[in-house]
Amino acid sequence: MSQSEIQFTFDDKTISALSGQSVGAALLAANQRSLRKTRFNKDKRGIFCGIGVCFDCLVVVDGITNQRACIIEAKPGMKVQTQDGSNA
Amino acid sequence: MHNVVIVGGGPAGLSAALAAAAAGAPVLLIDSNSRLGGQYWRNSVDELENQNEQHFDLATGLLLINAVKARKEIEVWSEAQIWSATNDEGKNTLRVIHQGKEKIVNTANLILCTGAYDRTLPFPGWDIPGVMTPGGVQSLLKGHGVLAGKQVVVAGTGPFLLPVAAGVIKAGGEVVSLIEANKSRRWVSSFIVILENLSKIKEAFYYIKTISRGKVRAQFGYAVIAAHAADNGELESVDIAKINRNFKVKKVKNIKCDVAAIGWGFTADTSLAGSLGCKQVVAKDESVVVWVDSEQQTNIPGVFAAGEITGIGGSDLSMAEGVIAGIAAAKFVGCKVDISKAHRKRRAKRQRFANALIKAYPIKTGWQLWPNDQTTICRCEEVSLGDLKFSVEELGATDSRTAKLFTRCGMGLCQGRICGRSVVDLVAKELNVLPTDIDRISAVNRPIITPIPLGVLAQGE
């Protein structure tokens, strides 16, 4: 099985990913290290544990908040956004 | 109907599944990843022969993964999240989100192989994007073929730093610095254990060869004690300190990097076992682990545990424990099998090596002086060390549980998986007492195993 390339968007940018890659891995490969802003201090956060344990790499995927970028698989046409606070 | 339900598809879970199936028991293997292998044999969708680079021994992993897939007695649920587990008079109920639906699994016979994740320690700037765990850097490489950064500092303690540094070099990155907090001479006292586990030494040299090819010099007795962000809020440099044997800072220098992978050994993920009511104990490395008897059975009859959740010891020990748990579980459901002497000897030998590792890479209390009052301790709820101190000094918290209630420290989405252990230590330090086993065990108590969207429950079985 060879890996095909797919595209999704992060905020207003188009990001390429290999099939099977996580959203977080593809974003990091595109040099996008900050994925969200914290609720209170508005600090930037990115991938920390990389295996779905820490919930620090949260992004909004197709309108759904609190998705872990490190474990959610990138799919063609996905609309991924920076999570600002809890985005509620 | 499955006789044996196994949770976790890493070295322990795969070994347990094969042993139970070989003994004649039908198995359901529930795994949260999309591909079997756990963290140790994490692999990507790329062709497997392209992935050997990032592994010391992917061949063994593939052997087990393919054997599990080939056995018709084993059913595998991948990408399955268990969010709740209960035990009621010998009946275990798991609530699993699988393929977008909630499924309920009832079983009298369960093997828990839920593994471990990197232990981290808080320090100023550890929440800046670019500071990561070594496990995170490795999972990006093994699972996604992505190098986390160009100039990487690998730091902390333990043998796991070696494969991570080697992986970065193999993928074309630069390891700016490889720093180990402990001195290598701590190994001298374990000479005999090394001799009986020569394969582990071979593995270490395999990584060291790559690391020296990358012209990286490992420094012993140093630690990353602060990280600094550039104007864009992302990692630009770290402060590296020469530390004494108790981890107290002696001398500091600053080096530039875009990723700092910092890990302090591992923490067992006992959440599922805890929900079922399995007895947990504090191990020598102060981690909370699941108690098991010589047949890997927990205090609940029919519930077994194997691998890192019974004590951190690496993939070889996990496999040895998995085999024993698989046989014991098959025996429990009436299969005519027995654990052999050879199985027990293999586990004992690997346990001695695991014990030597824990002795060689201790984590000393000096780290508790690295954070300052502004340092974030709980990353989810943004609770600082100053907030924790306030809860002790002004609000009168007398233990970590009360401090947690006052500050919400450890009550965010990760449910204290990252900060819980450190909070117990930091609150005890503030109170000028030593943490009790009760403090440590209560810090890992999590009623919900994985947070899930409520909508999924509405359409469940």
Side-chain angles (χ1 to χ4, degrees):
Chain A
M1 184 170 29
S2 75
Q3 288 181 279
S4 57
E5 208 176 284
I6 58 134
Q7 253 107 42
F8 67 93
T9 62
F10 181 69
D11 295 336
D12 50 3
K13 280 176 269 188
T14 302
I15 307 288
S16 293
L18 294 173
S19 62
Q21 261 179 352
S22 71
V23 165
L27 286 169
L28 199 56
N31 207 23
Q32 182 67 49
R33 292 199 286 171
S34 304
L35 300 175
R36 70 167 177 126
K37 277 188 192 154
T38 61
R39 277 175 295 168
F40 308 121
N41 302 331
K42 299 292 171 192
D43 289 334
K44 287 183 174 179
R45 294 280 176 86
I47 293 181
F48 181 63
C49 82
I51 57 170
V53 173
C54 77
F55 289 76
D56 232 340
C57 61
L58 300 177
V59 288
V60 184
V61 177
D62 293 331
I64 303 170
T65 57
N66 290 341
Q67 301 298 301
R68 287 169 282 178
C70 73
I71 57 170
I72 194 160
E73 196 177 309
K75 294 274 159 68
M78 235 179 199
K79 201 166 165 268
V80 183
Q81 290 164 286
T82 299
Q83 179 156 325
D84 190 349
S86 53
N87 264 62
Chain B
M1 181 64 197
H2 301 99
N3 285 338
V4 178
V5 176
I6 299 174
V7 182
L14 293 168
S15 300
L18 288 169
V27 172
L28 171 64
L29 176 59
I30 302 175
D31 189 30
S32 63
N33 282 342
S34 48
R35 290 175 293 277
L36 291 172
Q39 305 302 341
Y40 187 68
W41 290 311
R42 183 181 278 276
N43 50 85
S44 75
V45 291
D46 194 6
E47 294 186 32
L48 288 163
E49 56 264 36
N50 297 341
Q51 298 184 41
N52 278 322
E53 277 264 280
Q54 285 296 332
H55 290 264
F56 169 68
D57 183 18
L58 185 58
T60 304
L62 288 177
L63 205 71
L64 297 186
I65 292 168
N66 291 332
V68 163
K69 286 181 181 166
R71 280 207 94 106
K72 58 177 188 331
E73 304 94 325
I74 306 175
E75 183 183 348
V76 179
W77 289 0
S78 287
E79 285 182 272
Q81 304 276 344
I82 298 173
W83 73 273
S84 150
T86 49
N87 174 280
D88 187 23
E89 289 173 16
K91 196 184 85 176
N92 305 290
T93 304
L94 305 179
R95 291 169 184 275
V96 192
I97 308 293
H98 184 227
Q99 295 168 339
K101 268 197 194 147
E102 190 194 35
K103 295 178 181 173
I104 295 168
V105 176
N106 290 307
T107 180
N109 196 344
L110 192 56
I111 309 178
L112 309 174
C113 308
T114 50
Y117 56 88
D118 293 86
R119 178 183 183 183
T120 47
L121 298 176
F123 59 86
W126 73 308
D127 45 354
I128 295 170
V131 178
M132 295 177 65
T133 65
V137 169
Q138 195 187 55
S139 81
L140 283 161
L141 277 170
K142 283 182 174 178
H144 310 277
V146 171
L147 183 59
K150 291 181 191 76
Q151 293 179 297
V152 184
V153 168
V154 179
T157 196
F160 182 55
L161 303 180
L162 297 177
V164 174
V168 168
I169 292 163
K170 281 189 169 174
E174 184 195 348
V175 174
V176 204
S177 195
L178 170 58
I179 56 177
E180 162 61 59
N182 284 296
K183 295 279 171 75
S184 52
R185 61 171 173 268
R186 283 194 196 267
W187 269 104
V188 174
S189 63
S190 306
F191 186 65
I192 292 161
V193 180
I194 291 177
L195 282 184
E196 68 168 3
N197 286 278
L198 279 177
S199 70
K200 299 308 292 176
I201 306 306
K202 206 175 125 197
E203 182 171 355
F205 275 104
Y206 168 83
Y207 300 130
I208 290 166
K209 217 170 81 191
T210 308
I211 292 165
S212 43
R213 200 172 356 114
K215 300 203 167 55
V216 182
R217 201 167 56 92
Q219 286 178 286
F220 296 89
Y222 287 81
V224 170
I225 57 149
H228 305 283
D231 291 341
N232 67 0
E234 295 173 359
L235 184 66
E236 181 182 53
S237 70
V238 291
D239 290 345
I240 291 178
K242 191 171 168 51
I243 53 173
N244 74 4
R245 51 180 300 130
N246 288 317
F247 289 17
K248 292 227 171 89
V249 173
K250 282 154 85 180
K251 220 168 86 187
V252 185
K253 64 176 180 189
N254 181 271
I255 60 167
K256 296 254 180 286
C257 60
D258 59 2
V259 165
I262 307 164
W264 300 92
F266 295 92
T267 294
D269 198 343
T270 61
S271 315
L272 178 51
S275 288
L276 291 169
C278 296
K279 183 183 166 190
Q280 298 177 80
V281 290
V282 177
K284 278 205 192 84
D285 62 353
E286 291 165 351
S287 67
V288 174
V289 300
V290 178
W291 178 89
V292 286
D293 66 14
S294 68
E295 304 205 337
Q296 300 296 136
Q297 187 163 220
T298 69
N299 62 309
I300 303 173
V303 179
F304 299 80
E308 304 294 54
I309 68 162
T310 66
I312 303 304
S315 63
D316 288 347
L317 179 61
S318 296
M319 286 160 65
E321 291 178 356
V323 170
I324 291 174
I327 296 170
K331 196 174 152 189
F332 186 86
V333 294
C335 299
K336 296 261 175 291
V337 274
D338 243 317
I339 299 157
S340 75
K341 246 189 187 153
H343 288 134
R344 292 182 195 275
K345 269 177 86 175
R346 187 164 77 121
R347 180 181 59 186
K349 187 176 94 172
R350 291 169 179 188
Q351 185 63 61
R352 284 192 290 275
F353 190 76
N355 296 345
L357 279 183
I358 285 167
K359 230 170 82 188
Y361 299 104
I363 290 156
K364 298 293 193 170
T365 53
W367 71 264
Q368 294 164 12
L369 297 168
W370 302 345
N372 57 47
D373 282 0
Q374 284 74 47
T375 305
T376 301
I377 304 299
C378 171
R379 303 167 67 101
C380 298
E381 294 297 310
E382 299 172 75
V383 180
S384 69
L385 179 59
D387 297 332
L388 270 184
K389 283 185 176 171
F390 183 81
S391 78
V392 172
E393 283 158 20
E394 304 297 328
L395 305 178
T398 50
D399 60 19
S400 49
R401 276 159 294 172
T402 320
K404 180 173 155 178
L405 289 172
F406 281 139
T407 60
R408 290 197 54 80
C409 199
M411 291 170 81
L413 277 174
C414 93
Q415 301 187 88
R417 280 181 173 85
I418 300 299
C419 72
R421 249 175 116 168
S422 303
V423 171
V424 169
D425 287 328
L426 290 169
V427 169
K429 175 181 175 278
E430 220 41 54
L431 291 162
N432 209 11
V433 295
L434 287 173
T436 63
D437 286 3
I438 294 168
D439 290 331
R440 295 196 191 282
I441 293 166
S442 74
V444 301
N445 177 24
R446 295 177 191 109
I448 303 290
I449 296 160
T450 306
I452 50 153
L454 282 172
V456 179
L457 296 187
Q459 32 180 294
E461 273 175 11

